[in-house]
Amino acid sequence: MNVLIVKLSSLGGVVDAMPAVQDILSELPGTQVDWVVEPDFAPLVRRCAGVHRVIECDLRRWRETVFTADTRTAWRAFSSDLQYECYDAVLDLQGLSKSALVAKMARLSPQGLRYALANQTEGASFEAPTRWVSDVAIPVEPRIHAIDRSRVMCARALVYAIPEKLSFGLAPHIGQELRATKSIANTFFDSGTLTSAPVVAMLHGSSRADKHWPDEHWLELGHRLNSLGYTVAFAHNNDEEQWRSESIASRLGQALVWPRMGMNALTDALGECLGAVGVDSGLSHIAVALDLPHVQIYNFDTLWRTAPQNNDHQISVFAEPTPSVDAVWNAWMQASALAALRGDSTH
């Protein structure tokens, strides 16, 4: 059976859809799974175990340059790539007009069907017309975890029981980009500090300011991690995040600000860490998918929708207006200790 997943964005949403792919491959052996995704997230999907073909769709950019020759050429190439295979099932996990358009363009086998979400779920974007252009609309519970939303939809569409084990199929690998990153980072320290000290990633960035944890809290957490011999590493995705990273790191004894990296290098770098502490963001979702010891910080109660699931070494901390340093520190100590008991902290 040939299956096409349509999940174009966002970073966290793409990561959260990976367990559904692992379910399909586990419960329907021999299935070929292709995935349509935006170019920024394509490197991550290519690392998802079992994905046969990754089809890049840059609708966001094409809408802005619709009348240019380059865009027309790119659109024709995308259409050709999308229609290269016939699919027995096209699963629109996004629930938006842009994903419905892609699903509609895909080529079906004689008995093939297009599946879409039948209803909106709390906290997730949804555009009702998407269900009208599908062959089958799959109802899901209106209050459901983001990971479960994709898993439930796929299981109901393709008729299998959801496996008890949750797997993302995202394994770190060491590549040339990471080695280059380590070389750059080592210039911040004297002779090999990075290679001798375990690294904890500090994932403070978010596109939403209301998800931020105060800089002084990050600084205090960094001091406590330094006191245990850990190096802390700050990731960033834009100039403001870089400025915050450098401001905090400059006041710590053993800290570095990673260079701005592509998705592959960033995932590799996270995979080399002992663990991570972060706000609810796409990078935190990658850390969870890599099965790192992780503490996820929440300023409001959306844990039911995006928190790590069923992992004693991945802990969420919620408080209003924001969790204290002590609360996050205690969660980190618990997560890292339980991971060590499991033998997971071998990075």
Side-chain angles (χ1 to χ4, degrees), residues 105-116:
M105 290 175 60
R107 193 156 58 99
L108 294 178
S109 65
Q111 304 302 318
L113 295 170
R114 295 181 178 87
Y115 298 87

Side-chain angles (χ1 to χ4, degrees), residues 2-3 65 87 132 137 166 179 213 244 261:
N2 285 355
V3 171
T65 57
Y87 294 101
W132 303 333
L166 173 69
R179 285 191 288 273
W213 203 42
R244 290 183 64 212
M261 295 181 277

Side-chain angles (χ1 to χ4, degrees), residues 13-37:
V14 168
V15 174
D16 287 345
M18 290 180 176
V21 173
Q22 303 311 307
D23 292 349
I24 293 170
L25 297 171
S26 169
E27 300 306 303
L28 303 173
T31 299
Q32 175 181 301
V33 177
D34 294 349
W35 189 325
V36 186
V37 70

Side-chain angles (χ1 to χ4, degrees), residues 16-29 31 33 48-49 147-156 158 160-169:
D16 287 345
M18 290 180 176
V21 173
Q22 303 311 307
D23 292 349
I24 293 170
L25 297 171
S26 169
E27 300 306 303
L28 303 173
T31 299
V33 177
C48 182
I147 291 174
D148 291 337
R149 184 173 87 150
S150 294
R151 297 184 82 192
V152 167
M153 179 185 165
C154 291
R156 290 176 179 171
L158 302 181
Y160 59 80
I162 296 176
E164 184 175 336
K165 180 182 178 182
L166 173 69
S167 173
F168 289 84

